[in-house]
Amino acid sequence: MPFARPPLLKAIPICLILAACGGGGDDAASTPPPSATQPVAPIGSPVSPVSPVTPIAPASYTIAGTVTGLLDYGSLTLLNNGADPIVQAADGGFSFPVPVAAGGAYAVSVSAKPLWQSCSVANGTGLANGDVNGVSVNCAVAQSMVSTIAGSTTAGYANGTGSVASFRQPSGVARDASGNLYVADYGNHVIRKIAPGGVVTTLAGTGSPGHVDGMAGSAKFATPVGIAVAASGNIYVTEFYGNDIRKITPGGTVTTLAGSATAGSSDGVGAGASFNNPLGITVDANENVYVADYSNNMIRKITPAGVVTTLAGTTTAGSDNGAAALATFNGPSGIARSPSGTLYVAEWFNSDIRQISPAGMVTTLAGSGATGSDDGVGTAATFSLPVGIAIGTNGVLYVADDGNNLIRMVTPAGVVATLAGSLNPGSTDGAGSTAMFNQPAGIAVDTSGNLYVADQANNLIRSVAPNP
């Protein structure tokens, strides 16, 4: 029987099924073949984002330089653009911790400096286009300014203000915490007081030489030369030819602490002890008194009870260093004491500055023993008949260099510098070496570094201030 052809209707579903299954044809709904312009990833998968570029921080540069001329007793504070402080305690290099952005401005300045030093900055400003290493800070001894507080060059004995007052060979000067000055008025045989403002009065003594204890107005002194003020307000005075140590209480009572009118070198208590032309004097926080016993070539100590002992030196003049009992002095004239207990002595005949440690060892801090006016370090420096000596809160010593008519400074390391005066005697006020003195004797210093000088042959009390 012939093969029967299936009806057409039955073939249609097969074609539809084939079309739906994607088989052949140009139907627009068919999925196009892959192309180079189409993503490789399956349709619907997210495209990975491009990683962001990390911004490059602007370059920054250090600001650095060198300090020269800084002395050994203080520190220097530097700023950059008014901030970022550096404290520099010695010569050498420095670098500010905070860098400056590329192209940014820098400005190096001095914020603080040691007393009696001036410091200037060179190459300290500009724009930071690279590391800066050439800033230069140069320090030197500050210019001083000398002025007259009281007295006139004519010797006399008059109270009053400023130049109205007169003195006769003022030799010692001391200052209390309230700013009052006390003067051992050697030729008038009295103790004078100068209040702030230059008002001069007589604190004790009558103007006639003698040795009378009692109330200040009736007490008598003989050639008072050295003076010191204790924290208690007690005032201690050495009498050069009276050979004793006097005490004036805040209430105005004058007594003899130690010594008698007879010259000698005996240790002992009160009048049982003896001195020979005592000159410089200082007092510690416990009110022990220390005396430069000039003609005995000794350093003496007096307790508040009047017990006198010899700390260093013998009656034989010399310049030997070493243990206190074996060391020798020659005309010790001024004395100062540090809070740590070191004593500093100005020597008239040896023209030097000696020191006595708390352990009793004597050494030379500055001066060669030969007279001269050279600045320098240690024994390279020279003095001429130094008398007064005072110590500042920074450990710096100030010396009235009598034979040179100069005011000198000695650092703890023995660096000697001249602050004021010229070698020629005179009474001119002014700056630095234009000012003149005539045999400056006593010297005192306040906490701000201002100096007070008994200008003996000028009959004046002078001030020497650091000039900013």
Side-chain angles (χ1 to χ4, degrees):
M1 160 172 210
F3 177 76
R5 191 184 183 104
L8 182 61
L9 186 60
K10 291 182 179 179
I12 292 172
I14 296 172
C15 293
L16 291 172
I17 291 169
L18 290 172
C21 294
D26 294 327
D27 195 320
S30 298
T31 304
S35 143
T37 62
Q38 292 176 318
V40 177
I43 296 174
S45 297
V47 178
S48 299
V50 177
S51 298
V53 176
T54 304
I56 299 173
S60 60
Y61 300 107
T62 59
I63 309 300
T66 305
V67 173
T68 58
L70 191 61
L71 293 177
D72 57 273
Y73 60 87
S75 61
L76 174 72
T77 302
L78 301 175
L79 301 177
N80 183 29
N81 292 327
D84 198 17
I86 290 176
V87 177
Q88 192 84 359
D91 282 354
F94 66 87
S95 180
F96 287 98
V98 179
V100 172
Y106 63 92
V108 178
S109 61
V110 175
S111 172
K113 60 187 184 303
L115 280 173
W116 286 106
Q117 286 219 264
S118 61
C119 300
S120 61
V121 180
N123 305 318
T125 59
L127 299 179
N129 295 314
D131 287 339
V132 176
N133 299 302
V135 181
S136 177
V137 181
N138 301 296
C139 298
V141 176
Q143 177 85 303
S144 65
M145 184 57 66
V146 177
S147 57
T148 298
I149 298 172
S152 69
T153 53
T154 301
Y157 178 34
N159 290 321
T161 302
S163 59
V164 172
S166 56
F167 301 85
R168 191 181 304 274
Q169 295 180 285
S171 298
V173 63
R175 184 180 183 275
D176 69 15
S178 299
N180 298 298
L181 295 175
Y182 300 91
V183 178
D185 195 356
Y186 177 90
N188 284 323
H189 310 289
V190 293
I191 307 303
R192 313 290 287 279
K193 177 181 177 180
I194 308 175
V199 179
V200 179
T201 55
T202 298
L203 179 70
T206 65
S208 298
H211 182 94
V212 177
D213 288 338
M215 294 306 296
S218 57
K220 290 187 176 184
F221 297 82
T223 58
V225 64
I227 192 165
V229 182
S232 65
N234 289 325
I235 297 171
Y236 297 90
V237 178
T238 56
E239 293 188 286
F240 193 72
Y241 290 116
N243 295 311
D244 55 18
I245 314 302
R246 312 289 288 280
K247 175 182 175 180
I248 309 169
T249 69
T253 301
V254 178
T255 56
T256 300
L257 177 65
S260 67
T262 302
S265 60
S266 300
D267 290 338
V269 180
S274 56
F275 300 85
N276 193 356
N277 303 137
L279 210 165
I281 188 169
T282 191
V283 59
D284 68 18
N286 296 317
E287 218 143 322
N288 295 296
V289 173
Y290 304 86
V291 176
D293 196 358
Y294 175 82
S295 291
N296 274 330
N297 303 306
M298 293 176 169
I299 307 303
R300 317 290 289 279
K301 177 182 177 180
I302 313 169
T303 70
V307 179
V308 178
T309 54
T310 298
L311 290 183
T314 69
T315 53
T316 301
S319 58
D320 295 330
N321 289 320
L326 301 176
T328 54
F329 297 84
N330 195 354
S333 50
I335 190 167
R337 184 181 185 276
S338 74
S340 66
T342 300
L343 290 170
Y344 298 92
V345 180
E347 287 191 283
W348 174 269
F349 290 115
N350 280 334
S351 289
D352 59 14
I353 308 300
R354 312 281 288 282
Q355 58 186 5
I356 308 170
S357 74
M361 291 301 295
V362 178
T363 55
T364 299
L365 177 64
S368 67
T371 59
S373 60
D374 296 324
D375 289 340
V377 182
T379 56
T382 53
F383 299 85
S384 179
L385 311 177
V387 180
I389 189 169
I391 187 167
T393 55
N394 53 7
V396 173
L397 299 170
Y398 303 95
V399 179
D401 195 359
D402 181 287
N404 281 324
N405 301 305
L406 300 176
I407 305 303
R408 317 286 291 278
M409 174 176 78
V410 186
T411 75
V415 179
V416 178
T418 298
L419 299 180
S422 70
L423 297 178
N424 297 318
S427 60
T428 304
D429 288 338
S433 59
T434 65
M436 303 173 82
F437 297 85
N438 195 353
Q439 297 179 16
I443 191 167
V445 58
D446 66 20
T447 55
S448 298
N450 299 299
L451 309 179
Y452 306 91
V453 179
D455 195 2
Q456 187 178 50
N458 275 330
N459 303 301
L460 301 174
I461 306 301
R462 317 284 290 279
S463 74
V464 185
N467 203 9

